[in-house]
Amino acid sequence: MRFVEYFLDPTPEDPAGFARPVDDAGVRPSVEETLPLTEAVRAHRPSESGRVRGKIVLVP
C-alpha cells in the first residue's frame, strides 16, 4: 500500500483536472461490500458503527 498526499486547486477551465491525477496514480477505492439499493438501510448500519474498512456500494 502506498499513500500519496495530493493538493489540487480545481479551475472551471479544466474540469477533468481533478480526475487526471487519480487516474494517473492508479487510485482504486477499497470496496467493503456491494448491495442492492433496496438494502440501503442495512448498508448504513455498519457505516454508522465505524466498523467499515472500505466503501459500501449501492447498485440499482
Side-chain angles (χ1 to χ4, degrees):
M1 181 183 293
R2 181 174 66 120
F3 175 77
V4 177
E5 189 171 9
Y6 185 80
F7 294 97
L8 176 70
D9 188 14
T11 64
E13 295 81 26
D14 187 16
F18 178 75
R20 198 173 302 111
V22 172
D23 290 342
D24 292 347
V27 174
R28 300 288 176 254
S30 173
V31 177
E32 176 82 15
E33 191 172 9
T34 302
L35 297 167
L37 188 55
T38 57
E39 297 289 324
V41 172
R42 192 185 109 201
H44 202 266
R45 287 185 192 126
S47 180
E48 288 177 330
S49 71
R51 293 184 301 215
V52 177
R53 301 205 71 190
K55 300 298 180 187
I56 298 172
V57 179
L58 297 173
V59 294

